[in-house]
Amino acid sequence: PEGPEAYTLNINNSRKEYDISVTTNTGGKVTTTYNDNVIYEGNGPAVIEQVKYGDDNIYDIKITPEDGYVITSVKVNGGDIGYTVNDDLSITLDKIKEITEDKEIVVTMAPGLSSVVVHHYKENTSERVFSDEIINGMILSKYETAPQVSNLYSLITDENGEYILPENMTGTFEVKPIEVTYYYKENNVDLKVNYYINDTEIELAPSLIETKVLGAKYQTSALDIEFYELARVIGEEEGTLDKELTEVTYLYNELTEATIKVKHVDKETLK
């Protein structure tokens, strides 16, 4: 007799793919690139990338407004997304992470508006110490900007100790976007090391305070204190100074037993 008929079952385990689409109104364009190759350029609606389940998108997505237009909002499925302001005042979107559904990017640009981009850079560099700000307004209307306030950074000063402010920190919106740049220097920060009796703030030795530049490396150590032993340490004994005050506290317990050697001296022999 003939045996049962054999069947071959093919199983495709490929992950589902999701679309990233873009839609813009007039006044600009969207460009996607990969390894400097242009994949898409236009204002949609269009699918600009397909991504497998759980992956991040890999294309760079750049939005460029035309002169006299400003980007008023960028939404992904109705929510906000981070971006970087480029030198030509276009913006590049942050990557969309761990995609598990279709993503729709909706870009809105408005005519008759312009913008001011405010940069906050470390002194003599283009390294950002605070995020860029975009201020939108009607052309020929007035704008004002202000520096950021921080315990870690201060505005640079001149030889007289006066703050150096950009000449265009205030003004009027123009057809082309305006860039305003503030420059900052790193503040000095303090390292404080304490030596206390455990569970108190009673000093066993004077606290050590050192002033260093922001970002400096540091390392501390316990002291040998007579009749006390180290119980625990609060804070990191070594690391990088990244805040206004870094504090390390060594806590000690008093020794409950001590060995005291007593020597008896004979009055006659003095031995």
Side-chain angles (χ1 to χ4, degrees):
E2 293 182 359
E5 185 176 353
Y7 293 91
T8 300
L9 178 63
N10 294 320
I11 299 177
N12 186 351
N13 288 322
S14 62
R15 290 177 292 161
K16 184 177 180 179
E17 289 189 337
Y18 294 95
D19 293 340
I20 299 177
S21 59
V22 64
T23 301
T24 71
N25 59 352
T26 58
K29 64 181 179 180
V30 175
T31 306
T32 61
T33 58
Y34 183 67
N35 290 336
D36 294 327
N37 295 314
V38 175
I39 307 299
Y40 169 82
E41 190 169 83
N43 56 13
V47 174
I48 57 174
E49 188 175 352
Q50 291 185 311
V51 180
K52 291 185 181 296
Y53 178 92
D55 287 351
D56 304 340
N57 85 289
I58 60 173
Y59 292 169
D60 292 322
I61 303 173
K62 179 179 177 181
I63 302 168
T64 306
E66 297 175 358
D67 288 347
Y69 283 77
V70 64
I71 301 168
T72 57
S73 74
V74 181
K75 300 289 184 180
V76 178
N77 286 10
D80 294 330
I81 184 171
Y83 57 83
T84 300
V85 181
N86 303 309
D87 291 338
D88 62 355
L89 302 183
S90 63
I91 64 173
T92 300
L93 302 187
D94 292 348
K95 293 293 188 289
I96 305 174
K97 303 292 186 180
E98 300 177 352
I99 293 172
T100 58
E101 60 182 350
D102 291 336
K103 297 291 184 179
E104 182 184 23
I105 302 169
V106 178
V107 182
T108 304
M109 305 185 200
L113 294 176
S114 190
S115 61
V116 173
V117 180
V118 186
H119 303 297
H120 303 277
Y121 290 159
K122 189 174 177 180
E123 184 177 13
N124 297 324
T125 74
S126 57
E127 177 184 340
R128 290 182 177 88
V129 295
F130 304 105
S131 297
D132 289 344
E133 304 166 73
I134 297 181
I135 304 171
N136 298 323
M138 297 297 295
I139 294 171
L140 299 181
S141 66
K142 295 185 180 299
Y143 71 84
E144 293 183 359
T145 69
Q148 295 280 0
V149 178
S150 167
N151 292 328
L152 299 180
Y153 294 93
S154 297
L155 283 172
I156 59 173
T157 56
D158 60 21
E159 60 274 10
N160 298 318
E162 299 291 332
Y163 290 130
I164 299 176
L165 299 169
E167 293 182 359
N168 62 345
M169 65 179 293
T170 62
T172 57
F173 289 96
E174 301 173 359
V175 173
K176 291 189 175 181
I178 297 169
E179 291 187 84
V180 178
T181 304
Y182 292 90
Y183 289 98
Y184 300 79
K185 62 182 179 180
E186 295 173 336
N187 289 341
N188 288 333
V189 294
D190 290 329
L191 170 65
K192 184 180 181 184
V193 186
N194 307 306
Y195 307 94
Y196 294 156
I197 293 176
N198 199 8
D199 296 325
T200 76
E201 292 188 2
I202 300 174
E203 286 189 342
L204 292 172
S207 295
L208 302 178
I209 299 178
E210 294 184 73
T211 299
K212 297 176 177 289
V213 69
L214 177 70
K217 301 290 184 182
Y218 74 91
Q219 184 171 10
T220 66
S221 59
L223 296 179
D224 292 327
I225 301 177
E226 190 174 12
F227 304 127
Y228 288 87
E229 63 181 356
L230 182 66
R232 58 195 177 101
V233 182
I234 299 176
E236 299 294 332
E237 293 185 88
E238 59 181 287
T240 301
L241 299 174
D242 58 1
K243 53 189 175 183
E244 187 177 12
L245 174 64
T246 297
E247 194 164 6
V248 181
T249 301
Y250 292 92
L251 298 171
Y252 295 79
N253 288 331
E254 187 176 8
L255 292 172
T256 55
E257 296 181 3
T259 302
I260 303 175
K261 294 184 178 179
V262 180
K263 183 177 183 180
H264 298 278
V265 179
D266 188 282
K267 291 182 180 181
E268 294 182 358
T269 63
L270 300 178
K271 294 182 179 180

